[in-house]
Amino acid sequence: MNAPLRKASIVILVLFGLLFANLNWVQAAKGEEYRTHERNSFRLRDVEYDKQRGNIEVHAGGTSTEAVALSKSTDGRLRYQREYPFGDVYAHVAGYKPVYGTASSVERFENDYLSGQSDELFTDRVRAMFTGEEAAGGNVLLSISKAAQEAAYKELKENKLGVKVGAAVALDPATGGIQAMVSMPSFDPSPLASHTQADTDAAFAAYDGDKAKPLLNRAVAETWPPGSVFKVIDSAAALEAGSTPETMLEAGPSYVAPGTTHEITNASANVCPQQQISLIDALTVSCNTSFSRLGVELGRDVIKKKAQDFGFEDEALTCGNLKENSGLTVATSHVGDVANADGSEDKAAMAQTAIGQKDVRITPLQGAMIAAAVANDGVQMRPYLVERLLGPDRTSTHYTVNPEELRRSVSSDVARDLQTMMESVVNNGTATSAQVNGYDVGGKTGTSQNGITDNHGWFVGYAMKGDTPVSAVAVFLEAAGNGGSAEATRIAGQILKAVTSERGGN
Amino acid sequence: MPRLKIDSTKRRNSELALLALALLLVLAYSATVEATMLDTITPDFWVPTAALAGVFLALHVVIRFLAPFADPAIIPAAALLNGLGVGFLRRLDLDDVSGVAEAADRGAFAGGGGRQLAWTLISVIMAAALLVLIRDHRNVSRYSYTLGLGAIILIMIPAVLPAQYSEVNGAKLWIRFGSFAIQPGEFGKLALVVFFAFYLVRKREVLSLASKRFLGIDFPRGRDLGPVLVVWMMSLLLLVFVKDLGTALLYFGMFVVTLYVATERSSWLIIGLLLFFGGVFLAYYLGELVGGPFANFYDRATIWLDPFSDIDGDGYQLVQALFAFGTGGLFGAGPGGGSPGIIPEVQNDFIFAGMGEEIGLFGLVALLMLYLIIVERGLRAALDVRDSFGKLVAGGLAFTLGLQVFVIIGGITGLIPLTGQTTPFLSSGGSSLMANWMLVAMLLRISDAARRPLASGGGLATAPGGKPAPQQLHGAPTEVIRP
């Protein structure tokens, strides 16, 4: 019976050989993949919370900075507790880092750096090993301005129409650095960073179950019809086609596009009732009939091309760290098909598209980027949030942003004409409440119909000091109804004032 | 005679040295766990290891007197596995306590680790008692039919008991009275091996001789196939009623291998494998088509094929185990440095995954080597022992242990579909520990007989030329007569 016993012994060796081989596969070959799998985050938390996670900081005037997310030591088993001292104000920008769950925003895409795991911090880790100091994570300095962010948050939250849903974005047109980003309603991230799973789950369930979706960052993640804001694109296309601000357009109380019976009218009877109006005045008073006609005359392809030059249909856009090209995913802004069933241009749809209705959709960030391109001599910069990465001891800088040109939207000549026109809107037209003393402010209001709720209110604009752009801003109020765009304009003015006063303090 | 005495003493001394090394490793393990998890080593960290040392040394002394020629590697290997198991279960307890002070106050027998320590003491004492009781393994064959009947009763009790007395986590494998529960199947397994060995020693002649040749394979006659088919059907019935695929596979593999060893006919292996895979495919397709009692197996096969398709649901446990293995990587996070608590049932079926995160690939390979040592030393005892009954019992027990390790560890590493089994000597639970220590005692007893020099009074006569004489056992011939 020894021969079969020997064979049984070989069978056992083969079975154990399979176990050895498979363990090698699971632990060595696939180890890295399993270790870094996003659903494996819980497992590393104990190790992770044994060292101090870095700060997320914003500019607080001059060269000073202030932490909006930081870690404090505790007596518990997890030695550090994440805190968000400003609660709702920076919730969507900085994000949150839960012990039990997935992080968001900067906390998510700069996790490696904040937790001290990234390659940039390798020398710091080695140094900590030799000096016996506690290794800590690196600090992330955002391009956000405390004054602008707080103004945007306060004004949006306390808006005079009692609107609950909205967003505001401000950015530096010359660099693309985001100065303020607020989404409303907001939430307090601190309960999500609780060390108790029950508390985290309860807080998350409350936020997630809220119909108003407070966790959603509306500044980048959702799109709405822009209404008259889109007339800036039409104007740019017209100027490039050879018009000047003084070129006369047909106006009048109503316009019916070829091949349809749908009548496009103006916002009210006293807006451009005359037969003719100059391009600059048409923008200033927001004349629908002129721009619809202009859109149909220029045609779908020209308008869509110009919209793309301003960033529409950019499906790859993110807003975060330029070097890693990581960050918040930005929802794509669309013009729509403007096509009949056979694919040919639908002129009736084109007439509506030209005034930002029909299928046109933009994010608030896209709105700010349109204004920024105009202010920055026609060049649109890639938006970013991360300005600098500082070592744990703050003496070394591991990264400083190198602003990146995203695309040229219009020539400098056209940009200058657009500035003239948009400044006319603020100085003589629908957006006087956006004025800032000592600065040239340009902008465009928008009131967009969505067919379901009250009209949305929009304002996009910018402030310049001489030839230097200072800030571009977009404010959006969902279903704000009458006066929505006026309130959006007022809020934008307050945000621009906050940015310029901080600049003035330099 | 003096020379022989030196021989056995040397063997026992190496056992003692290996045992000391094993205990030292266990001590170092518990110190590391406390240093990592509590940032301090409690003054009582040595107590569980000392308790283990006491009982293992007692066992060693019993062996010195009652089985002096037994294989010296088996006890240290089992003791190291058992000690690390206790250490790891104590480490899991530390996850539940919030403060260092509270953890330091824990007694030696508190918590899951303490319970395991208590079970270890009982189990090792039982193993020693078995060595005292059974001085010659061949005596066991007298009780073979009783053991066979007992095995079937033990295995069947949970299946026929109402669920409230027999079901834990969906598996009907238990007999429960209040908070106390035993898994009779663990003992049934041992009794079954003894019964198989006895039955086959008696029947092997007719099973190997009377056959028909078909397609180049010798097939036994239908009526001789009966017992195989009966056990196969029993395994399938178990699978259906008890929802315990692992045990069904284990019994079946155990039977086919003892049959193969007894008859030396590979046709049994082929028939066995065909029936096994036939059964598996049938269960899979029945599970897909009609569900019902077969759904459990179908679900497990689906999870095995792609655990990541349902991370939050059915695949959760396996995925978390894979994460634990992957996070551990080559060297592991160190004892106490991982998060084994995330894996459901980490103290039972998934203990190897929990340990894998902390001791890494190198540690796990070492653990597997310990199992391999026990199994191969058991098979070595089977090769060396002179009587057929002893060969079949030792071979069957060793192979079953190896197969069980393969089934559970293959399951939790994603090599084969997952079936519930305990990991011998590591998993929490008294029945499993006791049964496995009894298994070790049997292997020791047989290896003692195998290594005992013939002149030293082992009761075996020497044939001319120094070869052992054929042994008579209930009239069964020991030499197989080839047709």
Side-chain angles (χ1 to χ4, degrees):
Chain A
M1 293 198 278
N2 282 358
L5 276 172
R6 288 212 173 84
K7 281 181 193 152
S9 164
I10 290 168
V11 168
I12 290 289
L13 281 175
V14 168
L15 291 182
F16 272 64
L18 288 172
L19 289 181
F20 286 130
N22 192 51
L23 268 182
N24 269 289
W25 170 249
V26 170
Q27 297 205 272
K30 301 275 276 184
E32 183 69 22
E33 185 188 317
Y34 290 150
R35 187 163 43 246
T36 54
H37 196 282
E38 59 167 2
R39 299 300 304 276
N40 192 25
S41 55
F42 299 168
R43 189 172 306 282
L44 299 168
R45 70 172 176 234
D46 286 12
V47 185
E48 195 176 337
Y49 284 84
D50 262 357
K51 65 177 167 179
Q52 187 160 24
R53 188 177 174 86
N55 292 345
I56 298 177
E57 298 174 1
V58 300
H59 291 279
T63 53
S64 64
T65 63
E66 195 154 345
V68 299
L70 62 147
S71 288
K72 289 222 171 116
S73 64
T74 68
D75 297 333
R77 201 161 65 80
L78 300 182
R79 290 179 49 206
Y80 288 96
Q81 167 92 51
R82 199 68 169 156
E83 284 181 11
Y84 301 94
F86 297 96
D88 301 20
V89 179
Y90 296 91
H92 292 102
V93 183
Y96 50 88
K97 166 73 184 169
V99 179
Y100 307 92
T102 318
S104 78
S105 198
V106 177
E107 292 273 39
R108 178 179 55 77
F109 65 76
E110 288 299 343
N111 183 52
D112 274 2
Y113 193 80
L114 289 163
S115 65
Q117 296 299 313
S118 80
D119 294 340
E120 281 113 331
L121 293 172
F122 180 73
T123 50
D124 295 82
R125 285 203 296 272
V126 172
R127 194 185 311 136
M129 211 158 79
F130 283 109
T131 58
E133 283 166 31
E134 193 176 276
N139 304 294
V140 175
L141 175 61
L142 302 182
S143 54
I144 296 286
S145 141
K146 186 173 192 290
Q149 179 77 10
E150 286 179 357
Y153 177 78
K154 177 173 172 289
E155 296 297 337
L156 260 189
K157 186 166 184 181
E158 296 168 8
N159 72 79
K160 291 172 181 164
L161 299 172
V163 176
K164 299 281 179 229
V165 175
V169 179
L171 54 84
D172 184 337
T175 61
I178 303 283
Q179 296 162 328
M181 182 182 279
V182 172
S183 172
M184 206 183 42
S186 190
F187 62 98
D188 182 1
S190 292
L192 293 174
S194 163
H195 281 187
T196 327
Q197 180 155 20
D199 292 353
T200 309
D201 290 350
F204 189 79
Y207 292 149
D208 201 43
D210 190 335
K211 275 192 194 136
K213 293 197 278 180
L215 294 175
L216 180 70
N217 184 350
R218 293 177 159 83
V220 294
E222 209 167 336
T223 60
W224 292 270
S228 303
V229 167
F230 196 77
K231 290 171 185 165
V232 176
I233 309 281
D234 302 330
S235 305
L239 291 168
E240 284 207 328
S243 301
T244 67
E246 308 309 328
T247 301
M248 295 308 279
L249 306 175
E250 281 190 57
S254 81
Y255 167 63
V256 179
T260 176
T261 53
H262 180 78
E263 194 179 29
I264 286 173
T265 57
N266 294 313
S268 66
N270 60 356
V271 174
C272 60
Q274 66 272 42
Q275 278 308 302
Q276 288 214 313
I277 193 168
S278 67
L279 181 56
I280 183 167
D281 289 343
L283 191 73
T284 307
V285 300
S286 204
C287 178
N288 285 346
T289 51
S290 298
F291 279 103
S292 284
R293 199 175 271 126
L294 185 63
V296 173
E297 278 168 17
L298 289 169
R300 169 180 67 173
D301 297 339
V302 172
I303 295 294
K304 284 186 92 163
K305 167 73 174 55
K306 196 51 12 198
Q308 281 168 28
D309 288 345
F310 275 93
F312 281 70
E313 321 297 345
D314 182 352
E315 286 174 5
L317 186 68
T318 57
C319 177
N321 185 326
L322 292 187
K323 186 182 165 202
E324 309 273 332
N325 201 17
S326 62
L328 304 168
T329 306
V330 181
T332 308
S333 298
H334 291 291
V335 175
D337 287 342
V338 203
N340 293 312
D342 62 0
S344 63
E345 180 177 339
D346 179 347
K347 290 201 158 59
M350 189 59 241
Q352 286 179 289
T353 300
I355 54 171
Q357 295 290 160
K358 190 70 185 159
D359 299 326
V360 191
R361 297 284 182 283
I362 69 168
T363 56
L365 175 64
Q366 173 63 39
M369 285 169 69
I370 293 172
V374 171
N376 193 39
D377 200 32
V379 175
Q380 199 171 51
M381 304 300 286
R382 185 178 284 282
Y384 64 84
L385 276 165
V386 176
E387 188 168 298
R388 229 176 294 159
L389 297 179
L390 299 162
D393 55 4
R394 312 189 65 87
T395 54
S396 50
T397 300
H398 291 287
Y399 163 80
T400 304
V401 70
N402 188 13
E404 220 175 87
E405 188 178 319
L406 183 58
R407 54 174 76 85
R408 179 167 270 283
S409 304
V410 285
S411 67
S412 353
D413 290 345
V414 170
R416 221 156 293 140
D417 286 342
L418 283 173
Q419 284 167 18
T420 312
M421 290 166 62
M422 286 173 76
E423 280 159 30
S424 164
V425 174
V426 172
N427 294 331
N428 323 308
T430 54
T432 47
S433 62
Q435 289 168 357
V436 181
N437 268 342
Y439 290 81
D440 298 323
V441 177
K444 183 71 196 85
T445 53
T447 300
S448 61
Q449 299 167 341
N450 57 64
I452 303 159
T453 60
D454 283 341
N455 295 340
H456 305 314
W458 279 97
F459 177 82
V460 308
Y462 62 84
M464 296 181 74
K465 183 91 178 168
D467 282 338
T468 313
V470 176
S471 182
V473 68
V475 175
F476 167 74
L477 294 170
E478 186 178 82
N482 285 337
S485 66
E487 178 62 2
T489 307
R490 186 194 66 78
I491 293 170
Q494 295 301 313
I495 297 171
L496 290 176
K497 278 191 186 103
V499 179
T500 53
S501 66
E502 195 184 71
R503 286 279 171 123
N506 278 359
Chain B
M1 283 305 278
R3 208 183 106 66
L4 290 171
K5 184 139 181 59
I6 292 165
D7 198 18
S8 79
T9 311
K10 239 170 104 180
R11 203 171 284 171
R12 295 279 67 81
N13 286 347
S14 34
E15 180 178 87
L16 187 60
L18 288 172
L19 202 52
L21 180 67
L23 288 164
L24 206 66
L25 286 171
V26 172
L27 190 69
Y29 180 83
S30 27
T32 317
V33 163
E34 292 200 351
T36 310
M37 297 190 72
L38 308 176
D39 277 339
T40 174
I41 298 174
T42 61
D44 294 333
F45 85 99
W46 53 273
V47 172
T49 313
L52 289 172
V55 73
F56 288 144
L57 289 177
L59 179 64
H60 169 75
V61 170
V62 170
I63 293 167
R64 253 180 206 267
F65 285 104
L66 296 179
F69 294 95
D71 194 308
I74 296 179
I75 291 289
L80 181 51
L81 285 167
N82 198 155
L84 291 176
V86 171
F88 183 75
L89 292 170
R90 289 188 79 81
R91 176 247 173 281
L92 288 183
D93 295 339
L94 291 187
D95 270 342
D96 296 336
V97 288
S98 41
V100 175
E102 201 183 323
D105 283 346
R106 298 180 80 81
F109 295 105
R115 212 160 40 240
Q116 184 80 347
L117 179 60
W119 278 119
T120 305
L121 304 189
I122 295 169
S123 303
V124 176
I125 289 167
M126 282 195 65
L130 209 65
L131 286 172
V132 174
L133 227 71
I134 303 169
R135 296 301 182 89
D136 187 331
H137 63 271
R138 286 168 299 189
N139 296 341
V140 179
S141 65
R142 281 186 215 144
Y143 311 105
S144 292
Y145 282 114
T146 321
L147 285 171
L149 187 66
I152 291 180
I153 293 173
L154 283 173
I155 293 163
M156 285 303 170
I157 288 172
V160 296
L161 273 183
Q164 56 173 345
Y165 298 114
S166 66
E167 192 165 309
V168 176
N169 293 337
K172 284 188 72 171
L173 295 173
W174 303 80
I175 303 176
R176 299 200 300 169
F177 334 91
S179 63
F180 184 75
I182 62 163
Q183 227 175 328
E186 293 280 352
F187 302 99
K189 192 170 66 188
L190 297 183
L192 213 55
V193 172
V194 174
F195 172 69
F196 280 171
F198 176 75
Y199 176 85
L200 291 170
V201 165
R202 298 201 48 178
K203 286 277 181 176
R204 54 199 284 249
E205 196 179 8
V206 68
L207 280 168
S208 20
L209 287 183
S211 61
K212 288 172 189 160
R213 211 171 167 79
F214 179 65
L215 291 173
I217 301 172
D218 291 320
F219 281 93
R221 293 180 306 191
R223 63 170 179 235
D224 301 327
L225 255 178
V228 196
L229 290 172
V230 166
V231 172
W232 180 63
M233 289 300 290
M234 266 173 52
S235 320
L236 276 185
L237 283 178
L238 263 173
L239 190 162
V240 173
F241 285 117
V242 189
K243 298 178 199 161
D244 185 9
L245 183 70
T247 310
L249 169 60
L250 213 56
Y251 291 167
F252 187 67
M254 189 165 86
F255 184 67
V256 168
V257 166
T258 31
L259 195 57
Y260 165 60
V261 172
T263 58
E264 306 199 11
R265 291 194 158 269
S266 22
S267 55
W268 285 111
L269 282 187
I270 294 164
I271 296 167
L273 283 175
L274 284 178
L275 288 177
F276 169 69
F277 282 111
V280 167
F281 280 111
L282 196 67
Y284 182 82
Y285 284 108
L286 283 176
E288 190 177 18
L289 287 173
V290 298
F294 299 99
N296 181 264
F297 174 64
Y298 175 72
D299 290 345
R300 288 184 172 206
T302 326
I303 295 166
W304 170 62
L305 289 172
D306 186 10
F308 285 88
S309 65
D310 189 12
I311 295 187
D312 292 313
D314 291 337
Y316 184 79
Q317 198 177 22
L318 185 56
V319 166
Q320 291 303 326
L322 291 176
F323 284 168
F325 283 120
T327 308
L330 296 186
F331 302 101
S339 311
I342 296 167
I343 312 169
E345 292 300 315
V346 71
Q347 77 282 13
N348 290 325
D349 300 8
F350 279 77
I351 194 163
F352 203 72
M355 295 183 81
E357 185 186 355
E358 304 196 330
I359 62 178
L361 177 63
F362 288 97
L364 289 187
V365 167
L367 290 189
L368 278 180
M369 290 308 291
L370 292 174
Y371 283 118
L372 199 56
I373 287 170
I374 301 174
V375 173
E376 292 293 337
R377 289 299 178 126
L379 287 168
R380 166 55 57 185
L383 281 174
D384 292 345
V385 81
R386 295 153 191 107
D387 66 297
S388 311
F389 176 69
K391 276 182 190 300
L392 282 183
V393 172
L397 290 177
F399 187 86
T400 307
L401 183 70
L403 192 60
Q404 182 171 350
V405 171
F406 175 76
V407 166
I408 180 60
I409 294 179
I412 64 172
T413 55
L415 181 64
I416 56 171
L418 180 66
T419 56
Q421 279 295 315
T422 56
T423 313
F425 302 110
L426 290 179
S427 287
S428 154
S431 310
S432 164
L433 260 189
M434 244 191 270
N436 282 308
W437 274 105
M438 285 165 73
L439 186 153
V440 161
M442 287 295 285
L443 289 182
L444 283 177
R445 176 48 78 215
I446 293 170
S447 90
D448 177 56
R451 290 163 170 243
R452 185 177 292 269
L454 297 173
S456 75
L460 307 171
T462 311
K467 282 197 166 184
Q471 293 302 301
Q472 297 299 314
L473 181 70
H474 298 276
T478 50
E479 300 291 316
V480 172
I481 303 149
R482 292 187 176 278

